[in-house]
Amino acid sequence: MNMSDPRDAVMLEPRFKNLAQEMRCVVCQNQSLAESSSGLANDLRTQIADQILAGKSDAEITAYMVDRYGDFVLYNPPMNLTNAPLWIGPGVLFAVAVVVVWKIIRKHRDTSEPPEGSA
Amino acid sequence: MLAEFCQLALICAFVSGVIFTTQLLIQLRRSPSEAEGISQRLVALTTINFTLIFASFVGLIILFLNSDFSVRNVAENSNILLPTAYKVAASWGSHEGSLQLWIVMLSGWSTAFAYTGRALPQSFRANVLGCLLIVQSAFLLYLLTASNPFERILPAPLSGRDLNPLLQDFFMVIHPPFLYMGYVGFAVCFAIAIAALIERRFDSDWARMSRPWANAAWASLTIGIALGSWWAYRELGWGGWWFWDPVENASLMPWFVGTALIHSLAASDKRGAFKNWTILLAILAFALSLLGTFLVRSGVLTSVHAFATDPARGVFILILLGVIVGAALVLYATRAHLITPGTTFRALSKETLILTNNLLMTMALGVIFLGTLYPLFAELVTGKKMSVGPPYFEAVVTPFLLPAVLLMALAPRLDWRQAAVGQVMQSLLLPSLIAAAAAIAFLLMFDRFGVLAALGVFSAIVLLLATVSHSVGQLRKLKDAAIRSRQPESMPLGRRMRQLGSAYWAMIVAHLGIAIFALGVTFAKSLEVEKEVILKPGETVAFSGWSVTFVGVDDRRGPNYVAAAGVFELSEGSGHRIELLEPQKRRYLSGDQVLTEAAVRYGWLGDVYLSLGDPVSGAAGSEADGSWSVRIFYKPMMIWIWIGCGLMAIGGVLSLLSRRIRSRSRAQDEQGVADGATATP
């Protein structure tokens, strides 16, 4: 196997894999850069490898991609004002659900016998 | 002519559905005393409509088999060269065909209900059938006006465009029927809930009646999703099996609600508990099935699985969804306060456990819903496209699913109303210790094994051991009892197993399925090995105790494709050849579409998965030396994911055999009396 190209070595690193998996191949239906075999995905994988070789940080590489392709390229949506509901939502949902369940348990509380549990 | 006959059959079904259902339901309002006659006529109507719809569906399949390209649907989705099995599958591979399959399933479920519901109160039966027929007519209207599967084109093309090659796979032949059977099965639960609301009939009978339908639908949906996922694993060629793709999420959302529903129904049936909530879940389950149909068929979301989409027609489904679900929710809102609360229970009881299950399942549904639909919403507001992908879903779903797995270990041990906490905890001590030891061992053995994976293994093993040990314990108790009472005839294992009842085994098997599934997922995810290599013929690459030798590439000819088949020798360690693996790169003749066909060697401990890339020219521009790029995966424990799903589905089917569930609304049902289940206030 031909390992003369330093990019090949980079592409085997977990760091590269993580980056490529978290970015969307923007011309495909719904595939990450790691999965896609499209020409663009190939180019972008090479880009990522080059930037890793150039000593760029993950954040810099991500910023570069977002600059060119917008947030669409990120599978892990960034935390910002537009995406706030996405990240706060689960917590709010959970809080509401816990309150509802708590109320149901209280409503059905068994009072017929002396309380020994934490009901 | 056949296409016209088929269409006529659909029109007849629609017209009779609308006219007679309306008439009969009005008559039922006016003179409730005639309920028996009305419900018999609705049974007849359901049967006739099923016959018409099914006949037209058979007609559609025949049109595909005959490659009648004067029918647009056939011309766009089939081809002369297409193998016969795929011609059949193509009849539900298109937008139109899949909706017709949806309606076939709906009318099939309705007919099944019509003939099993004899013991029900007649007006109730009539209301359920009426509700199902209305939904059926609504979808027939959609089929006939917006996506007619029998539309002709003139002049007829000489050849068809072909079925999308990705769908030309055996799993795709059987996946849609199972999936739709699951989706649509919830329609019966929905109709039963609506009938209960209309009749203000909130006793436990209603829940008991609903249970077999919910369980059957859930089991079908489980199989459907698993088949779809397995297909993606084999056919998409990049080694994944679940992508958190909108279309996958669309099927997973009703699954989570369905899971909540079957448990909540059990509590409503046995204890009269949470009836209010159970009705809402029944409405929600069908609503999400409709939403799933909309998401998959409208193409509003970009997906790897979007094969038959049409945004304009999606709006129609959205309106249907709004009207059906909206009406149901309005009915619910006006009647829900009439439902009496069930009996009391302690904070530590099976009721609470089921409530917690419902909470976790609904949460999982909620976050998937949020993540799936948020990009749509954000695009509307900001005008910019965004993506929500696997990293998000894994981060938000895992916190709800891990505790669900762990808490499930308590399921067979907690009693209704109140549980002996100390005893339960004691019985879980040993499983927890073993599981903790195993999790720590894996943490130390593999440095790629993270804390989350360790938690996953811990929860799954606790569940596995707790579930197995409970059933072993129960069997031993029965044996002891038989010895004490000197009844040697109740000694044999088979007899004791039967004594525990199929409902018990349904739970045990399904929960074991979850444990095994969770183990499979944890290992496959955290210990997967992936290599992308370029191999010259004769070269060998080693990974995870296996080695693969590239022999060369062969030309193959299929019925409707040509393929380059890579030939690889797989051997374990440095030993002898075990198997030849032949991943292919296929080019389909009709549309020049190129497709990767992965080769998988399934193993109990892990799958070896090869996916052929592209030919590579040699280094530094030298001449091609026959090198190809290949993706090699080792997927530990992968097969247990499918086995787990299979066990879940078997559990669902087992529950249908339960005597309690099959004896609809019979108060004299001995087991029901023994459970004190009819204790409804």
Side-chain angles (χ1 to χ4, degrees):
Chain A
M1 151 179 191
N2 171 23
M3 290 291 281
S4 56
D5 191 342
R7 288 172 188 151
D8 287 346
V10 170
M11 286 188 187
L12 294 175
E13 285 174 20
R15 181 181 161 205
F16 172 84
K17 205 180 150 194
N18 286 340
L19 273 170
Q21 267 177 345
E22 299 213 343
M23 284 185 209
R24 183 182 201 133
C25 161
V26 288
V27 298
C28 310
Q29 283 284 12
N30 187 8
Q31 277 175 277
S32 71
L33 287 184
E35 291 156 351
S36 174
S37 55
S38 74
L40 179 78
N42 252 326
D43 288 350
L44 291 184
R45 278 199 296 265
T46 317
Q47 278 278 357
I48 295 176
D50 284 346
Q51 299 204 12
I52 290 179
L53 285 172
K56 295 263 180 68
S57 73
D58 284 6
E60 283 170 315
I61 298 174
T62 309
Y64 172 84
M65 290 290 175
V66 171
D67 238 29
R68 289 174 82 182
Y69 300 104
D71 280 351
F72 190 56
V73 79
L74 299 180
Y75 266 132
N76 205 3
M79 282 229 224
N80 57 32
L81 206 59
T82 341
N83 297 339
L86 201 55
W87 290 105
I88 302 170
V92 175
L93 271 177
F94 186 64
V96 171
V98 168
V99 171
V100 170
V101 167
W102 178 246
K103 280 198 160 168
I104 294 179
I105 292 177
R106 278 184 62 102
K107 195 168 94 183
H108 291 83
R109 183 160 51 168
D110 191 345
T111 46
S112 59
E113 286 150 88
E116 46 170 313
S118 54
Chain B
M1 276 307 272
L2 182 58
E4 280 67 33
F5 274 126
C6 292
Q7 191 165 358
L8 196 63
L10 290 181
I11 294 173
C12 287
F14 170 69
V15 172
S16 69
V18 170
I19 295 179
F20 294 121
T21 313
T22 324
Q23 184 224 330
L24 287 168
L25 286 179
I26 291 173
Q27 202 184 339
L28 184 68
R29 277 317 146 271
R30 288 207 186 124
S31 41
S33 55
E34 291 170 36
E36 181 153 9
I38 293 170
S39 103
Q40 266 158 16
R41 263 174 282 165
L42 280 167
V43 170
L45 182 58
T46 307
T47 318
I48 292 169
N49 272 11
F50 173 67
T51 316
L52 288 170
I53 292 166
F54 191 74
S56 91
F57 187 58
V58 172
L60 182 65
I61 295 176
I62 293 172
L63 288 171
F64 268 93
L65 287 174
N66 291 343
S67 295
D68 184 344
F69 298 131
S70 67
V71 176
R72 182 186 295 277
N73 186 15
V74 180
E76 286 178 357
N77 297 290
S78 186
N79 190 284
I80 293 279
L81 293 174
L82 197 63
T84 309
Y86 300 143
K87 281 185 181 158
V88 176
S91 55
W92 54 75
S94 66
H95 177 97
E96 295 84 358
S98 73
L99 270 160
Q100 171 139 25
L101 178 68
W102 204 97
I103 296 173
V104 169
M105 290 293 174
L106 180 62
S107 65
W109 280 109
S110 311
T111 313
F113 180 85
Y115 286 96
T116 50
R118 291 209 182 87
L120 300 178
Q122 293 302 332
S123 65
F124 194 91
R125 190 181 178 199
N127 274 317
V128 174
L129 288 176
C131 178
L132 286 169
L133 281 166
I134 290 172
V135 174
Q136 185 190 83
S137 303
F139 271 84
L140 276 173
L141 178 66
Y142 173 58
L143 192 70
L144 288 167
T145 56
S147 67
N148 186 351
F150 301 107
E151 194 188 316
R152 297 272 192 188
I153 24 173
L154 276 172
L158 287 174
S159 180
R161 200 188 287 162
D162 206 1
L163 179 66
N164 187 328
L166 273 174
L167 300 183
Q168 297 182 24
D169 180 77
F170 174 70
F171 282 69
M172 262 300 141
V173 179
I174 51 176
H175 155 73
F178 272 110
L179 191 71
Y180 277 22
M181 205 153 91
Y183 268 5
V184 183
F186 289 122
V188 181
C189 303
F190 171 81
I192 290 175
I194 296 300
L197 287 169
I198 289 176
E199 298 224 320
R200 299 181 175 83
R201 187 188 181 89
F202 303 119
D203 50 19
S204 323
D205 282 356
W206 150 78
R208 184 178 308 183
M209 186 187 313
S210 200
R211 282 181 77 185
W213 306 100
N215 289 343
W218 181 86
S220 315
L221 191 58
T222 308
I223 295 176
I225 296 174
L227 287 175
S229 164
W230 202 343
W231 163 82
Y233 178 58
R234 296 166 53 249
E235 205 69 9
L236 292 182
W238 61 83
W241 57 279
W242 194 262
F243 307 98
W244 296 104
D245 183 88
V247 165
E248 295 166 355
N249 294 347
S251 67
L252 199 57
M253 288 192 278
W255 190 87
F256 278 122
V257 188
T259 311
L261 178 66
I262 56 182
H263 290 90
S264 183
L265 274 173
S268 298
D269 168 19
K270 290 208 169 184
R271 301 286 308 153
F274 325 135
K275 283 183 285 193
N276 199 320
W277 168 243
T278 309
I279 288 193
L280 187 60
L281 275 180
I283 295 174
L284 210 57
F286 187 53
L288 284 165
S289 298
L290 290 177
L291 180 76
T293 311
F294 163 69
L295 287 181
V296 176
R297 291 299 159 201
S298 66
V300 291
L301 298 161
T302 12
S303 152
V304 276
H305 305 278
F307 296 114
T309 64
D310 183 342
R313 293 187 288 194
V315 176
F316 199 131
I317 308 183
L318 202 58
I319 294 171
L320 276 185
L321 172 78
V323 171
I324 294 174
V325 178
L329 288 178
V330 167
L331 184 66
Y332 173 77
T334 53
R335 298 274 162 93
H337 65 278
L338 297 171
I339 304 173
T340 49
T343 46
T344 55
F345 56 86
R346 288 281 169 76
L348 270 158
S349 60
K350 196 170 247 177
E351 280 92 335
T352 308
L353 189 67
I354 285 182
L355 211 51
T356 315
N357 152 295
N358 278 210
L359 167 86
L360 294 171
M361 293 299 117
T362 322
M363 284 307 304
L365 153 78
V367 294
I368 294 174
F369 186 88
L370 187 67
T372 308
L373 292 178
Y374 196 79
L376 270 184
F377 168 78
E379 199 183 335
L380 278 179
V381 175
T382 64
K384 274 187 261 168
K385 275 183 161 256
M386 66 165 296
S387 309
V388 178
Y392 174 83
F393 287 107
E394 278 160 21
V396 295
V397 172
T398 320
F400 300 115
L401 295 190
L402 258 188
V405 171
L406 194 57
L407 285 171
M408 225 180 294
L410 295 169
R413 291 191 159 78
L414 288 186
D415 293 324
W416 297 106
R417 281 198 65 213
Q418 57 177 344
V421 189
Q423 225 177 323
V424 171
M425 288 306 155
Q426 218 174 356
S427 66
L428 288 183
L429 190 63
L430 191 60
S432 309
L433 286 177
I434 298 175
I440 291 169
F442 283 120
L443 261 181
L444 297 178
M445 265 192 313
F446 306 99
D447 46 353
R448 278 180 306 149
F449 211 77
V451 176
L452 201 60
L455 281 175
V457 164
F458 173 75
S459 312
I461 293 184
V462 171
L463 174 58
L464 188 80
L465 294 178
T467 309
V468 170
S469 70
H470 186 267
S471 54
V472 171
Q474 291 298 96
L475 288 172
R476 194 180 304 140
K477 256 189 224 165
L478 285 177
K479 190 177 189 174
D480 292 345
I483 292 171
R484 250 181 289 122
S485 60
R486 293 170 202 275
Q487 282 177 315
E489 70 275 10
S490 15
M491 283 284 285
L493 183 65
R495 201 187 165 93
R496 280 182 285 144
M497 284 178 78
R498 239 173 295 139
Q499 244 176 310
L500 285 172
S502 57
Y504 174 79
W505 291 110
M507 171 194 64
I508 294 289
V509 170
H511 286 189
L512 273 182
I514 300 266
I516 286 170
F517 172 82
L519 276 178
V521 173
T522 312
F523 281 106
K525 247 197 104 48
S526 54
L527 296 181
E528 176 193 287
V529 176
E530 183 190 349
K531 264 182 189 252
E532 193 163 0
V533 290
I534 295 162
L535 291 179
K536 259 192 291 218
E539 269 185 323
T540 300
V541 58
F543 61 96
S544 318
W546 297 82
S547 58
V548 165
T549 307
F550 182 40
V551 178
V553 169
D554 237 3
D555 285 336
R556 293 285 151 82
R557 246 194 107 78
N560 55 348
Y561 60 84
V562 287
V567 181
F568 295 84
E569 275 179 11
L570 174 71
S571 43
E572 197 161 11
S574 51
H576 56 289
R577 192 187 90 187
I578 291 187
E579 213 165 304
L580 277 182
L581 287 176
E582 298 191 359
Q584 298 185 352
K585 198 99 188 170
R586 289 182 183 169
R587 193 168 59 77
Y588 281 79
L589 301 174
S590 55
D592 257 2
Q593 212 172 337
V594 176
L595 197 83
T596 312
E597 184 90 7
V600 185
R601 183 195 183 268
Y602 297 100
W604 298 116
L605 288 176
D607 294 356
V608 175
Y609 182 109
L610 293 186
S611 169
L612 196 62
D614 298 296
V616 182
S617 52
S622 66
E623 269 185 39
D625 54 3
S627 295
W628 280 72
S629 70
V630 192
R631 272 194 197 187
I632 302 174
F633 295 88
Y634 183 66
K635 305 229 157 215
M637 301 287 182
M638 191 65 199
I639 206 169
W640 297 98
I641 292 178
W642 318 122
I643 293 176
C645 292
L647 285 175
M648 288 181 227
I650 291 173
V653 173
L654 270 180
S655 73
L656 298 179
L657 306 176
S658 152
R659 206 182 325 148
R660 175 185 174 75
I661 271 186
R662 279 189 306 167
S663 65
R664 281 155 289 274
S665 77
R666 286 269 158 78
Q668 62 267 41
D669 166 14
E670 29 135 13
Q671 207 187 342
V673 173
D675 287 348
T678 37
T680 325

